[in-house]
Amino acid sequence: GDSVTQMEGPVTLSEEAFLTINCTYTATGYPSLFWYVQYPGEGLQLLLKATKADDKGSNKGFEATYRKETTSFHLEKGSVQVSDSAVYFCALSDQPGKLIFGQGTTLQVKP
Amino acid sequence: DTAVSQTPKYLVTQMGNDKSIKCEQNLGHDTMYWYKQDSKKFLKIMFSYNNKELIINETVPNRFSPKSPDKAHLNLHINSLELGDSAVYFCASSQGFTNTEAFFGQGTRLTVV
């Protein structure tokens, strides 16, 4: 079945460091891809999305490019802040009404 | 004016009890979901409802019974609670069944003792 694999965390960075969180997927079709973020004690929020190959999603300084050839959707940010500390989830959808999530990657940013 | 709200936020109960979690969205969406997040933060879909009709049931035990009285509400009733039901349950909604850009509630942390 379809699945999403993320790099294991926690990822610990200093403020202003460059961030990459790897995400790869397995899907039979051409799914839409998402990054969601969960801040402590809160629900998930959509961070960015891409719906077809080579699309780049971006929001709040975060970017991810849909790479069909490598089945990847890695999340990047050039300069992280303490306020970016959260759990990040990569997800795919190739069927209406259903999101398949990766296991989540915890990011800790230290001042 | 929270978009997707769940109650209660925390729920501690004994094995064998029956409990309900309520969810309401004020976004005007017609599709609602329940997701379960386990202790390792792994999220998995349980149910999808579209216009009050059950569309997806991901092999959830029939002790879990969702109820959608109208498009703005999707409640989750759990019978005969087990230790393994301990998790965080998230309600979510989206505009249209084919649009999986979901808005999530804050979650309900269920602890079964």
Side-chain angles (χ1 to χ4, degrees):
Chain A
D2 295 354
S3 65
V4 177
T5 302
Q6 294 178 231
M7 61 188 289
E8 289 212 18
V11 174
T12 303
L13 296 173
S14 297
E15 213 165 17
E16 299 184 4
F18 185 86
L19 168 71
T20 299
I21 300 178
N22 289 338
C23 170
T24 57
Y25 67 90
T26 302
T28 51
Y30 298 96
S32 294
L33 301 174
F34 306 82
W35 277 101
Y36 279 83
V37 57
Q38 184 180 24
Y39 297 104
E42 298 185 10
L44 281 74
Q45 303 174 24
L46 179 66
L47 182 59
L48 53 85
K49 69 175 184 179
T51 56
K52 62 183 188 298
D54 300 325
D55 268 3
K56 178 186 280 188
S58 61
N59 185 25
K60 300 181 182 178
F62 291 89
E63 292 183 339
T65 300
Y66 190 143
R67 300 282 188 206
K68 187 177 148 206
E69 63 277 12
T70 54
T71 60
S72 65
F73 193 55
H74 304 322
L75 182 68
E76 295 181 336
K77 187 176 185 184
S79 175
V80 294
Q81 306 300 312
V82 172
S83 57
D84 293 326
S85 298
V87 182
Y88 291 81
F89 292 91
C90 185
L92 71 81
S93 176
D94 66 356
Q95 170 187 346
K98 184 176 177 180
L99 279 164
I100 296 173
F101 286 90
Q103 69 270 40
T105 302
T106 299
L107 171 66
Q108 298 172 340
V109 181
K110 299 189 174 180
Chain B
D1 53 341
T2 305
V4 182
S5 58
Q6 299 176 226
T7 54
K9 192 170 182 182
Y10 299 97
L11 185 53
V12 181
T13 187
Q14 291 188 326
M15 274 196 305
N17 283 351
D18 303 338
K19 290 293 178 185
S20 292
I21 306 171
K22 295 187 177 181
C23 177
E24 176 182 6
Q25 54 93 4
N26 62 6
L27 297 167
H29 291 167
D30 51 15
T31 304
M32 296 185 72
Y33 313 84
W34 279 108
Y35 282 84
K36 179 180 179 181
Q37 185 177 45
D38 64 22
S39 58
K40 297 183 179 179
K41 296 213 177 283
F42 185 64
L43 261 168
K44 187 171 181 187
I45 190 164
M46 300 173 69
F47 302 104
S48 295
Y49 266 74
N50 187 50
N51 285 320
K52 302 192 299 176
E53 289 190 24
L54 177 65
I55 304 297
I56 291 178
N57 178 344
E58 282 289 300
T59 61
V60 178
N62 58 15
R63 296 184 296 106
F64 290 79
S65 51
K67 293 272 192 309
S68 183
D70 54 59
K71 288 198 295 185
H73 295 84
L74 180 62
N75 303 322
L76 183 65
H77 187 75
I78 315 170
N79 288 328
S80 303
L81 277 155
E82 302 176 356
L83 292 176
D85 297 331
S86 295
V88 181
Y89 292 85
F90 286 99
C91 178
S93 71
S94 65
Q95 181 55 53
F97 190 61
T98 55
N99 178 7
T100 40
E101 185 175 328
F103 292 75
F104 284 76
Q106 287 193 315
T108 296
R109 182 174 294 277
L110 171 65
T111 304
V112 182
V113 297

